[in-house]
Amino acid sequence: MAKDTFYITTPIYYPSGKWHIGTCYTTVVCDAMARFYRLCGRDVFFLTGTDEHGQKIENNAKKAGVTPMEYIDPIVADLKSIWEMLDISYDRFIRTTDADHVATVQKVFKKLYDNGDIYKSEYEGLYCTPCESFFTESQLVNGKCPDCGREVHYEKEESYFFRLSKYADRIIELYENNPEFLQPKSRVNEMINNFIKPGLQDLCVSRTSVKWGIPVEFDKDHVVYVWIDALSNYISALGYGSKDDSLYKKFWPCDLHMTGKEIIRFHAIIWPAILMALGEPVPKRIYGHGWLLVGGDRLAKSKENTSSELVDPKEIVARYGSDALRYFLLREIPFGSDGVYTNETFLNRINSDLSNDIGNLVSRTTAMISQYFGGKLPAIKELTELDNELVAIMNGLYENVSAAIAEINVPKALAEIFKLVGRANKYIDETMPWVLGKDPSKKDRLATVLYVLSEAIRCSGILLLPFLPKSAPEILACYGIDASDKKLFESLSFGKLEGGIDVVKARPIFPRIDVKKELADVSAMMLERHNKELKAAAAKEKAEDKANEPKFEEIAIDDFAKVELRVALVTACEKIEKSKKLLKLSIDLGYEKRTVVSGIAEYYAPEELVGRKVVLVANLKPAKLCGVESQGMILCSDDGDAVNLVVPAEGAKIGSRVR
Ligand code: MSP
């Protein structure tokens, strides 16, 4: 019989800069869940990858003077190395530049177009020319481009649109009929009230001004824009629409799309609508988790830097091991809500749970087996009520952990395991094996106590495998248990260890940390590294700016002589009503009077200009701006932020030539 399947995905990551500790969160959670279901014997497919197209990557590459692929490749390699370091057990790492993904996206786009769900129209919005990007009013910062801070202007571009509005009712119905579909539950109201009820707009799904994207097969001026490309990765990775779609048949619909809360909207509204339009089943569940925030500790506060870049996952893993970081991310952040990383909470969590609780339990128990029974596990004798209390926790553990995982509450799953660990440590204090060891008549009782403790270690060790893939196998190895044994999960109840087996005395798996001292050291180390990075980034930016400085074509003196520049006086000035930017100036050249229109209304009030001398390009062909004929142009300096008049010296006579 075919095994139960489980298909789980992370969002695909934008390779647009440096990876940080927040980046690791979604993927570590998905990895723990994938490993848990593999342990339970399910046939799991775990997908992650990178979202490599679009304007931002195109711009970043241009700025760095390389091709988009040259820009992306090292960043993707770096992400893969982080996943390797954190033992991420993905089944496929998809890149949206992979040939099979590109082919699927083109097929999806064509199918939606053929069905009438995609149509051609015009995209209108506020456009930043240097960034070649459209923005909505609300995305602007102080009315300017949120990326480069420059002016934006209204523009239209031919685009294809997806009929998202058509699917609003079916999406509400989907939420109503499937309470499991979108979680945590609070997200459902957020989607309905904030996005669906105010009215879904059709979605722009192609661009002509962006080149770095998947070409629309039947209209090569267009590339597929962002969400159809990105979201389709969840089915292209399974071969949807290709010759071999066996994985698609086996794993779709997806059991769980895990996403950060800022992109739930795309997963819970746009993605099901696209699938409905394709006539494919929608995913079973979408979970929107909160963010990991970095800040609040001394390191961050003293530098007024709450950026998660201060905390480098590679640095943490190198110092404390990958399981320590995994454990913190999985245990400390209340699932569904935001959580905060500080060095202090991290070190305390590692010390208390890993070093004190599980570390101590394993080292004390295996040391006593070595001391009192020569390293051979004693056989069980008679169980007391106290023993049975611990045994009951062991026997119910799988059910509790599995229930927590099913409701996607990973911290709760870990808390269940640590309940057993905590109870076992208390049991050591209650039974006092070191006292039993002194009295030969208590040897049988000592044997039972150490056996019961060993079983607690075995059961918790097995269930910790998905969360601590490096240390849990080490714990189990003390009892000769092979962590890769596919049948481990069937042995999750008390009494499976055989008396007489060899038990190896554990090395300290999680050495105890002197938190106060460590905190000072690690904070200093992070700060030093971060400052170095900031310096290097500033130097790089300077070098890039220099390389990108505009190169001017040289002109001959005769060319310059063609430009007639004159000193002029502004005699009157007023705003042009229909325009935010234009001023109408009356100019006196001494030998004649003129009207000039200038785009400086955002930098000068009309009354500031009256009575000032300016430099005029006097032989410029007249042009009409907002219905007013401009007879020349006033010279200004423009550094990208500020615009300033070029002002002749005091004594310069009106009408004199500027040469
Ligand atoms: N490319 C899109 C996703 C497309 S999926 C079809 C994207 N990429 S991303 O790189 O910006 O984010 C990837 C994931 O990392 C998201 O789930 C995001 O929420 C998560 N995180 C990035 N920073 C995070 C934290 N500080 N904390 C928790 N998760 C964070 O969005």
Side-chain angles (χ1 to χ4, degrees):
M1 206 181 92
K3 282 183 191 171
D4 268 354
T5 57
F6 186 73
Y7 180 29
I8 182 167
T9 68
T10 72
I12 42 174
Y13 288 79
Y14 281 127
S16 59
K18 192 178 176 302
W19 305 110
H20 54 79
I21 189 172
T23 313
C24 303
Y25 183 58
T26 325
T27 305
V28 167
V29 171
C30 287
D31 182 68
M33 294 196 59
R35 284 175 180 271
F36 179 80
Y37 284 120
R38 281 193 205 109
L39 181 73
C40 300
R42 280 170 81 165
D43 195 345
V44 172
F45 195 90
F46 169 22
L47 177 70
T48 189
T50 37
D51 186 0
E52 305 187 354
H53 291 122
Q55 189 82 63
K56 197 162 185 172
I57 305 280
E58 194 174 285
N59 290 348
N60 286 2
K62 205 168 163 188
K63 202 169 166 217
V66 293
T67 64
M69 221 44 192
E70 284 167 343
Y71 173 78
I72 297 163
D73 275 343
I75 306 180
V76 174
D78 191 36
L79 185 65
K80 282 188 168 175
S81 77
I82 295 176
W83 292 163
E84 195 179 331
M85 178 185 85
L86 284 169
D87 298 298
I88 303 300
S89 61
Y90 56 77
D91 293 288
R92 174 159 180 194
F93 187 103
I94 192 169
R95 300 180 60 172
T96 52
T97 46
D98 287 346
D100 62 341
H101 174 76
V102 170
T104 301
V105 168
Q106 288 181 326
K107 276 190 191 143
V108 165
F109 201 95
K110 177 89 172 42
K111 192 167 176 185
L112 296 176
Y113 180 71
D114 290 344
N115 291 350
D117 276 303
I118 282 182
Y119 62 93
K120 206 178 201 176
S121 180
E122 267 178 336
Y123 188 78
E124 302 176 34
L126 296 160
Y127 193 73
C128 172
T129 310
C131 295
E132 295 177 19
S133 296
F134 276 102
F135 298 100
T136 59
E137 195 96 35
S138 62
Q139 286 172 315
L140 302 183
V141 177
N142 299 327
K144 302 213 168 139
C145 170
D147 286 347
C148 73
R150 278 183 266 218
E151 291 294 318
V152 292
H153 62 277
Y154 173 80
E155 199 160 302
K156 279 185 186 176
E157 180 182 321
E158 181 186 271
S159 292
Y160 284 94
F161 283 81
F162 172 62
R163 289 189 200 282
L164 184 61
S165 53
K166 178 175 147 189
Y167 291 92
D169 292 344
R170 283 182 66 187
I171 288 166
I172 294 184
E173 217 172 276
L174 167 71
Y175 298 165
E176 279 169 3
N177 297 342
N178 302 277
E180 293 279 287
F181 176 73
L182 177 56
Q183 287 176 335
K185 286 204 164 47
S186 57
R187 309 282 189 210
V188 175
N189 288 338
E190 194 181 309
M191 291 301 117
I192 295 179
N193 296 334
N194 297 357
F195 301 109
I196 304 180
K197 282 215 174 125
L200 283 182
Q201 306 286 321
D202 287 353
L203 183 74
C204 170
V205 288
S206 84
R207 297 290 302 274
T208 53
S209 59
V210 181
K211 297 287 164 263
W212 181 239
I214 299 177
V216 172
E217 245 186 331
F218 53 89
D219 193 346
K220 291 273 160 54
D221 288 342
H222 289 251
V223 298
V224 179
Y225 187 55
V226 188
W227 287 102
I228 288 199
D229 176 2
L231 290 160
S232 297
N233 93 88
Y234 299 134
I235 53 176
S236 65
L238 301 179
Y240 172 77
S242 75
K243 266 191 206 141
D244 179 5
D245 63 355
S246 50
L247 283 176
Y248 183 73
K249 287 196 175 111
K250 182 171 172 187
F251 287 104
W252 194 259
C254 183
D255 292 270
L256 181 59
H257 288 313
M258 188 72 84
T259 87
K261 63 182 176 184
E262 79 285 10
I263 50 173
I264 296 174
R265 179 158 66 99
F266 304 100
H267 286 81
I269 298 176
I270 297 174
W271 184 221
I274 293 174
L275 289 163
M276 286 170 187
L278 288 172
E280 298 297 326
V282 299
K284 292 183 199 158
R285 213 156 23 151
I286 289 160
Y287 194 97
H289 65 69
W291 292 326
L292 176 67
L293 308 171
V294 177
D297 81 352
R298 275 176 287 166
L299 170 73
K301 260 191 196 150
S302 63
K303 283 286 145 192
E304 290 179 348
N305 190 340
T306 54
S307 149
S308 52
E309 278 163 21
L310 263 175
V311 184
D312 180 346
K314 286 188 177 164
E315 204 165 57
I316 299 210
V317 169
R319 207 167 168 102
Y320 308 105
S322 53
D323 277 357
L325 180 54
R326 283 178 66 105
Y327 184 78
F328 177 85
L329 294 174
L330 296 169
R331 178 72 178 87
E332 185 74 27
I333 292 120
F335 215 54
S337 328
D338 291 347
V340 176
Y341 174 95
T342 68
N343 286 331
E344 197 163 0
T345 44
F346 172 74
L347 294 174
N348 281 331
R349 182 52 91 176
I350 300 315
N351 233 12
S352 74
D353 295 11
L354 298 184
S355 176
N356 277 4
D357 288 358
I358 186 78
N360 245 342
L361 174 66
V362 178
S363 60
R364 284 204 288 177
T365 306
T366 55
M368 287 189 285
I369 294 173
S370 158
Q371 184 182 350
Y372 300 121
F373 294 94
K376 298 265 180 226
L377 181 72
I380 187 169
K381 302 294 170 189
E382 204 178 327
L383 290 179
T384 66
E385 210 173 296
L386 184 67
D387 307 334
N388 278 326
E389 196 192 315
L390 199 54
V391 167
I393 300 177
M394 285 176 226
N395 288 343
L397 188 60
Y398 166 69
E399 209 169 303
N400 291 339
V401 172
S402 154
I405 294 285
E407 63 188 58
I408 321 181
N409 193 336
V410 178
K412 190 171 166 201
L414 278 169
E416 290 294 342
I417 302 172
F418 277 82
K419 246 190 237 168
L420 171 63
V421 172
R423 186 67 193 86
N425 275 321
K426 189 162 168 245
Y427 173 89
I428 298 184
D429 299 338
E430 287 162 351
T431 52
M432 295 191 285
W434 55 93
V435 175
L436 300 174
K438 285 189 191 134
D439 181 349
S441 73
K442 302 273 170 58
K443 188 101 185 176
D444 280 359
R445 178 68 194 136
L446 179 62
T448 302
V449 165
L450 292 178
Y451 184 89
V452 169
L453 284 170
S454 297
E455 277 294 71
I457 291 172
R458 186 182 64 84
C459 290
S460 44
I462 293 173
L463 283 168
L464 279 173
L465 283 169
F467 310 97
L468 306 176
K470 277 206 175 76
S471 355
E474 207 180 316
I475 293 170
L476 294 173
C478 295
Y479 291 88
I481 299 169
D482 175 6
S484 65
D485 178 354
K486 298 271 176 290
K487 296 222 166 345
L488 277 185
F489 149 80
E490 290 165 22
S491 68
L492 274 170
S493 59
F494 179 79
K496 298 289 189 291
L497 279 172
E498 276 181 30
I501 61 161
D502 288 327
V503 177
V504 178
K505 190 173 156 192
R507 65 164 190 111
I509 301 172
F510 301 103
R512 218 186 133 62
I513 299 168
D514 175 347
V515 174
K516 211 169 159 195
K517 182 178 175 304
E518 183 63 17
L519 196 55
D521 291 355
V522 78
S523 299
M525 175 189 79
M526 285 180 174
L527 210 51
E528 195 187 320
R529 189 255 316 144
H530 186 58
N531 285 338
K532 260 191 211 155
E533 274 171 5
L534 289 180
K535 259 194 196 158
K540 195 168 159 230
E541 189 149 330
K542 215 171 162 190
E544 276 171 9
D545 282 352
K546 205 154 185 218
N548 287 334
E549 262 175 18
K551 298 194 180 34
F552 296 108
E553 193 192 337
E554 284 181 350
I555 58 167
I557 186 83
D558 296 350
D559 294 323
F560 177 68
K562 287 182 193 160
V563 186
E564 185 70 24
L565 300 173
R566 296 279 181 145
V567 175
L569 178 72
V570 182
T571 53
C573 181
E574 63 189 78
K575 280 198 160 170
I576 294 182
E577 261 192 20
K578 277 177 271 170
S579 165
K580 270 194 204 161
K581 293 185 184 169
L582 299 180
L583 293 179
K584 181 178 154 191
L585 298 97
S586 302
I587 296 284
D588 186 357
L589 278 163
Y591 56 90
E592 68 177 73
K593 298 201 180 351
R594 294 200 189 177
T595 300
V596 169
V597 177
S598 178
I600 53 176
E602 283 161 307
Y603 306 97
Y604 290 96
E607 57 275 17
E608 278 181 90
L609 296 173
V610 178
R612 289 183 82 164
K613 278 185 210 161
V614 293
V615 178
L616 183 81
V617 182
N619 61 340
L620 199 66
K621 238 189 219 155
K624 260 197 178 166
L625 296 165
C626 270
V628 182
E629 189 178 80
S630 179
Q631 302 155 327
M633 185 175 80
I634 287 174
L635 291 190
C636 288
S637 66
D638 180 357
D639 63 9
D641 290 323
V643 167
N644 285 294
L645 285 178
V646 172
V647 182
E650 283 260 309
K653 277 198 185 138
I654 294 166
S656 56
R657 197 169 255 143
V658 179
R659 290 186 288 172

